Every structure is written in C-alpha cells, then in structure tokens.
C-alpha cells in the first residue's frame, strides 16, 4: 500500500477545522485533525508546502517511522504548528491501519480497559447564582463531573463564563481578539465563594473542576488552591502560565489541590519535568496538539509511572476527529483520568459522521474500524473558513495581561 494523495480541508461548521485526508493507492483512506485554533492557515501551508510532497509514495502502515521522519526531518522540532501537522497525518494513518485490520483503534492499542469514558462539561455564569443553576442543570443531564466558572462582578464577562461564550462563534470568538478586563484581586476571593455555593447545591457526589486559564502567579495559585481545599475539587487547571515550570513546585509546597496542566503543550518533552517531579496530577495533552495517537500514547505511558492521569483537552475547537482518537485512547489507557467534552454544533456533527457516541456524561468509541470518524466534503464546502480568535485580556489600567 502506498500514499497516493493527501487533501487538506478547511471548514467552519461552528469552529474552524483543518482536516487531512490521506488516500492510498488501494482506495482506503484515513482522516486526521490538524486544527490550531486562531492559526489554522499556518498549519495548512505547513502541510501543503512541506509535508504532503514528502509523503506521496510512502507506505502508510509505517506510522511510527513517518512520525519520526516528520518530527526529526523538520529540524525545527516541536511547536504547535509542526506538531498539529504531524498529529493530523498520524491520526489518518492509524485510521487507515484500523480499516485495513478491520479493527477499532482501541483494539489496536491493546483493547478496552474500562466500560465507559467519563467526561466533564463546562458551566459558566455571569453570577454565582447563574453558575449554580447551570451546575444543577448539568447534574440533571447525567454529568458526574462539571467545570464551573463565573464572571467577576462589575467587570464585563470573561472567557469561559458568559453563557455559551466558549462554545460557538458569535460569542466572544470574533475576527479580532476581543479585549477582556481582568482583576486578580477581585477573582481570588470570588472562586471559593462560588464553590461553597455549588457544593451546598449539588452535594459531594459529583466531581467539580475549575480552569484558571493561566491567569495567576504561582503564589496567587497557591492561595487559591488552599482556599479551595474545603470543597475537594477534582482539579485546578492551568493555574499559571506554564512557561515557567518551576512555579508548580511552589504551588505544590502550599496546597493539596490536584493540578491539571498541558492543553497548550505539544510533546512529551514539554511535560518531562512536571510529570517526573510529580508536580501535576492530570495531563491535558490531546491527540491534535500532542503528536496524534502516537504522541499521546507515549505521554500517558510516561505519566503512569509518576501517578499522573490522562485528561485529554476536548473543547469545541478540538474536532470530532481528534475527539474520536481521544476516546479510543481513553478507552485503552490504564491511567485514565477524565475526558473534556464540550459538544458540537449540529453542522459539525453533520460534517463529521462519527461512530463515537455520548450519553449522560459518558462517551463510547464505537466499533467501526479505525477511529470511526469520517468527513462529508459536500457539507464542509457549505461552511467556508472565517477568521476567529480567542480573546486577550487587559488589566483595569489597560496593561496587556498574561492570558
Ligand atoms: O481554552 O477552547 O479546558 N479547556 C479550555 C478551552 C480552551 C479553548 C482553546 O482551545 O481551556 O476553553
Ligand atoms: Co483549559
């Protein structure tokens, strides 16, 4: 079998997605996700100009070899654009191998380790009351794990807190980044109050999560972690910008709150010290940004020996293709933690017919060969690319802020 052609399809059925389709001379094809939110076209150029011409004629069964060829061959290792391109190709090759073997991907990985994959969904509110109501509604929908966020009173809604703000275009995602306002001293005392009210309302038989979106310093995160300890959170996510990894040592010295990190990391090297020094508990790597199924599997295996668990990033901008790969890995991985799942627009489901399924807080990979996700190119053609960016933030005095 040889790689005959590789197409790159860009479409926006709710969010912008970059999808690769690897076609073989035997007619089998595989699909991969190569989306980098807000920098989509950079990955398209990387694939079309520098990756695809090198892969034509290669044996698609040599997944590991092609991964190493693209990673080492770039010379410029790592980085989100390179790794998204590798991820897209890698997913498509696993898809082809699964179809050739007539086996679902989780079987190729080693088979099922659990009956179902627990997910968490997001609740945001402009007020604590709104978030509490949202959490209660999620609980009604069967969720056993819920991420709760709230806006800062007196300031405009911040990312992840307005109703539907990080779910679809038309909210805060626009052609230029929306400029939000951030205030750490107003945020820090607010979040423990939020979780006090949420616990009072939903009780203790549910996992509660919170995402800081990289907005604190290490000592501020330590303070927040201590203040949240009475509410027994499942995790505190992206507490500080992770470029300075030593900050996590400081957080650990002060609090027992479990720490989640890594949705913007791309390789095992980014995680090496945080995992091996046992500074994080949940690894937020995801197939589309961490080198596909091949990269993800390697990172989670490494994490297992340091008691860290998998927690694939899965917002709406991680396409149903990457979600499919994540769910197969989640079904196999021995040290599974949780899977983020935001859901998708109807147009996104229509564009990506998928064997995976969601029901009342849990996902299943399905039994279709490969990862079981396809692309309907006619539907894709009806949803052209539109520039869309996540927000930036400024302090109240206008200073550009971290996130
Ligand atoms: O910031 O979707 O944990 N999930 C998140 C998401 C991401 C955006 C960008 O991928 O933090 O809200
Ligand atoms: Co996050």
């Amino acid at each position: 079998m040889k790689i005959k052609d590789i197409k790159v399809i860009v479409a926006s059925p709710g969010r912008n997605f970059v999808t690769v389709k690897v076609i073989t001379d035997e007619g089998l094809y595989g699909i991969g996700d190569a989306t980098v939110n807000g920098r989509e076209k950079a990955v398209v150029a990387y694939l079309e100009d520098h990756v695809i011409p090198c892969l034509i004629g290669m044996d698609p069964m040599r997944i590991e070899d092609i991964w190493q060829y693209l990673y080492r061959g770039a010379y410029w290792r790592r980085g989100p654009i390179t790794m998204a391109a590798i991820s897209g190709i890698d997913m498509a090759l696993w898809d082809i191998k699964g179809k050739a073997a007539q086996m679902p991907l989780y079987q190729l990985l080693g088979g099922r380790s659990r009956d179902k994959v627990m997910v968490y969904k997001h609740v945001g509110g402009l007020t604590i009351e709104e978030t509490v109501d949202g959490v209660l509604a999620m609980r009604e929908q069967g969720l056993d794990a819920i991420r709760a966020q709230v806006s800062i009173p007196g300031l405009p809604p911040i990312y992840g807190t307005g109703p539907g703000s990080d779910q679809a275009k038309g909210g805060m995602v626009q052609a230029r980044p929306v400029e939000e306002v951030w205030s750490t001293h107003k945020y820090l005392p607010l979040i423990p109050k939020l979780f006090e009210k949420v616990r009072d309302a939903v009780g203790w038989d549910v996992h509660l999560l919170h995402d800081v979106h990289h907005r604190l310093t290490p000592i501020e995160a330590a303070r927040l972690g201590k203040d949240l300890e009475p509410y027994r959170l499942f995790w505190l996510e992206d507490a500080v910008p992770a470029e300075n990894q030593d900050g996590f040592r400081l957080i650990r010295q002060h609090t027992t709150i479990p720490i989640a990190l890594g949705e913007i990391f791309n390789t095992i090297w980014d995680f090496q010290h945080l995992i091996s020094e046992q500074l994080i508990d949940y690894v937020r790597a995801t197939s589309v940004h961490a080198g596909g199924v091949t990269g993800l599997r390697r990172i989670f295996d490494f994490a297992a020996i340091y008691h860290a668990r998998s927690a694939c990033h899965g917002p709406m901008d991680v396409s149903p293709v990457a979600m499919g790969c994540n769910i197969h890995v989640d079904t196999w991985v021995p040290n599974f933690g949780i899977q983020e799942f935001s859901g998708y627009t109807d147009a996104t489901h229509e564009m990506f017919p998928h064997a995976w399924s969601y029901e009342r807080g849990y996902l299943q990979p399905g039994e279709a060969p490969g990862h079981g996700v396809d692309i309907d190119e006619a539907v894709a053609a009806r949803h052209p690319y539109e520039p869309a960016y996540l927000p930036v933030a400024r302090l109240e005095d206008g200073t550009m802020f971290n996130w």
Side-chain angles (χ1 to χ4, degrees), residues 120-125 131 145-152 158-161 182 187-188 190-192 194-195 198 207-216 221 224-225 228 231-239 257-261 263 284 340:
Y120 74 93
K121 287 194 175 214
H122 303 175
V123 171
T131 302
I146 300 164
R147 187 188 91 169
Q149 312 287 128
V150 71
S151 280
I152 298 172
I158 47 172
Y159 180 66
T161 64
W182 178 254
Y187 167 83
L188 278 181
L190 178 69
I191 300 306
L194 167 68
F195 281 95
V198 171
H207 301 299
L208 298 176
L209 300 76
H210 183 69
D211 192 344
V212 182
H213 285 120
H214 311 106
R215 289 166 179 145
L216 297 176
L224 181 61
L228 287 173
Y231 312 110
R232 303 288 177 106
L233 265 58
F234 187 89
W235 79 34
L236 187 67
E237 176 184 349
D238 288 344
I257 196 166
I259 297 294
L261 187 82
E263 68 182 47
R284 307 244 45 225
E340 184 182 27

Side-chain angles (χ1 to χ4, degrees), residues 58-69 93 97:
M58 281 194 180
D59 176 358
M61 289 294 156
R62 296 181 61 165
I63 301 175
E64 185 67 49
D65 186 65
I66 288 175
W67 196 102
Q68 300 295 340
Y69 175 83
L93 298 183
K97 194 182 282 288

Side-chain angles (χ1 to χ4, degrees), residues 101-129:
Q102 301 198 328
M103 269 189 201
L105 175 53
Y106 77 85
Q107 293 290 14
L108 296 183
L109 291 170
R112 196 178 272 281
S113 295
R114 59 195 47 78
D115 301 330
K116 54 185 182 175
V117 170
M118 181 171 72
V119 310
Y120 74 93
K121 287 194 175 214
H122 303 175
V123 171
L126 299 178
T127 61
I128 287 180
E129 292 67 37

Side-chain angles (χ1 to χ4, degrees), residues 13 22 45 89 96 152 211 213 231 322 346-347 394 400:
V22 177
I89 299 293
I96 289 169
I152 298 172
D211 192 344
H213 285 120
Y231 312 110
D346 290 344
R394 292 185 187 276
M400 191 71 229

Side-chain angles (χ1 to χ4, degrees), residues 257-279:
I257 196 166
I259 297 294
L261 187 82
E263 68 182 47
I264 63 171
F265 285 0
N266 341 105
T267 70
I268 196 167
W269 303 104
D270 304 321
F271 284 105
Q272 183 185 7
H273 295 296
L274 290 169
I275 290 175
S276 65
E277 294 176 34
Q278 300 187 97
L279 299 176

